[in-house]
Amino acid sequence: MADNKKADYILPGRAESYWLATTPESSYPPLSGDIHIDVAILGGGIVGITTAFLLKEAGLSSVAVIEADRIIKGVTGHTTAKVTSQHGLIYDRLISKFGKEQAQQYADSNQAAIEKIASIISSKGIDCDFVRMPAYVYASSEESIVNIRNEVDAAQSLGLPASFESDLPLPFKTYGAVLFGNQAQFHPRKYLCALAKEIEGDGCHIFEKTRALKLEGDGPIKIITNKGIIKANKVIQATHFPIHDKPGLLFQRLYQSRSYALGVRIEEPFPQGMFISAEEPIRSLRSQPARESELIIVSGDGHRTGEGNEIDHYQNLEKWIRSIYPVNSIDYHWSTQDVISVDHVPYIGQITSGNENLYIATGFRKWGMTTGTAAAMILTDMILGKSNPWEEVYNPSRFKPLESAKTFFSQVAEATKGLVGERIIPTHENASQILPGEGAIVKIEGERVAAYRDEAGVLHTLDPSCKHMGCIVSWNSAEKTWDCPCHGSRYSATGKVIKSPAVYSLSEKKVRE
Ligand code: FES
């Protein structure tokens, strides 16, 4: 019965993020041949582009961004683009788990990131729909009021622009909210495409369609790519999950979460503000000026990657938005995969054991517009040899056993499940049950196979072991991709790698249907 319901549901609107749909794709050249560079940055999202921009602004003349696909198309191209230091309910927790001093660093760095974005936009005259906007975390149940009150107190104690708001301009019952004033929203691709243009030239480069395969060396680092070798004095891994995690610092301390967004047009004007629920399932709302009429971005319904059916989550969001507003149309749908650290604070800085010329930035927990910009500011200072006041809270080598032990051990258990594929139960008894356009893990001749039947009816069979560390991939029914639940690698339906940390495609597995 449930399966019939899923089969009947047609995903609404265009399968593309609004940000990608309304900006041209970039076309920077790939690397051609070997080069030597001062700073190489792997990954062309908000961290990579902003760091390269800031380094060049600071006078560095030998910086390169290396992107496996096209820039600003991954997580950054699928965000909700709220520019805010309000990251759900976090400050009360940060103070109790990290202490006041480090919570202050987190608050200050994210507030500074908002102002950094605003000042770049103003100094470069970038037209990117940047507008100041209040941000709210609202309680949709009476039980959450105490958490809201505690968060207001915690945020105020850190000097954040926080207050309690009892009367929200939303068309459903709420029980008060944490209000942060003077936050902002923008069009992230308009902003970052403008920054990218500033990077190119005078010894600095953006290389697209250039996949980093391996990092080697202890002093200057050799980056082996599919288009040549780059020797770099310093390397920043600003990919979703670092392709090189040599000391094994991170793979059990980060997990993947997929969430969903719809671009909706409603019959009435949307109130001033960006809104997010305090409770699960998360419901988030913001508006975006658009040529035809204002677009409302409704997002949330996140879950750990590889669990459940993706189409159900779009359906949940659609049902919810239709229950609170009269909807004229749903014009876009998209999803994204975020990487989250076990203690909910990103890892930014040097990987200390291994190579001191190697830096990482990851684990932005869905708030990458500000934490990604803060990462760029911190990494820029580190590369320039300057001290930065916010380094400590983001230190990749931190571990707070008392605070995060429970999450850590449950993460280890989850990762182990992924490695042995315990979570992935074959959904079809044999491949003949897979309909055109569908994929599934099936057992064929006693072996587990990732099988996809294309629209022409041809069955493609793959070894389901992820090329990063061997977790069993799972079928994403909405995006028609194979997703790895462990560290976020993604593959096309026919097994081509589309997202790191894996750098190679899934192996074919010949079977008799
Ligand atoms: Fe790490 Fe798949 S992404 S095992």
Side-chain angles (χ1 to χ4, degrees), residues 144-163:
S144 295
I145 296 173
V146 61
N147 298 334
I148 296 282
R149 293 268 183 205
N150 290 343
E151 183 71 1
V152 171
D153 292 345
Q156 284 178 342
S157 77
L158 298 169
L160 287 160
S163 57

Side-chain angles (χ1 to χ4, degrees), residues 241 419 466-473 484-489 491 500-502:
F241 185 98
L419 282 165
C466 175
K467 289 293 183 181
H468 177 227
M469 291 177 70
C471 286
I472 302 299
V473 296
C484 182
C486 287
H487 316 110
S489 294
Y491 304 86
S500 61

Side-chain angles (χ1 to χ4, degrees), residues 35-97:
I35 61 163
H36 192 160
I37 203 99
D38 192 9
V39 182
I41 302 169
L42 309 185
I46 190 165
V47 178
I49 296 296
T50 312
T51 309
F53 170 82
L54 293 178
L55 287 171
K56 189 171 179 185
E57 288 272 297
L60 264 66
S61 58
S62 178
V63 178
V65 176
I66 296 110
E67 167 58 50
D69 186 14
R70 297 282 177 203
I71 58 168
I72 325 160
K73 263 189 85 178
V75 180
T76 303
H78 293 82
T79 171
T80 52
K82 294 176 177 176
V83 184
T84 176
S85 59
Q86 184 190 70
H87 299 168
L89 300 180
I90 188 166
Y91 290 103
D92 186 39
R93 182 180 178 280
L94 277 181
I95 290 172
S96 71
K97 304 296 183 196

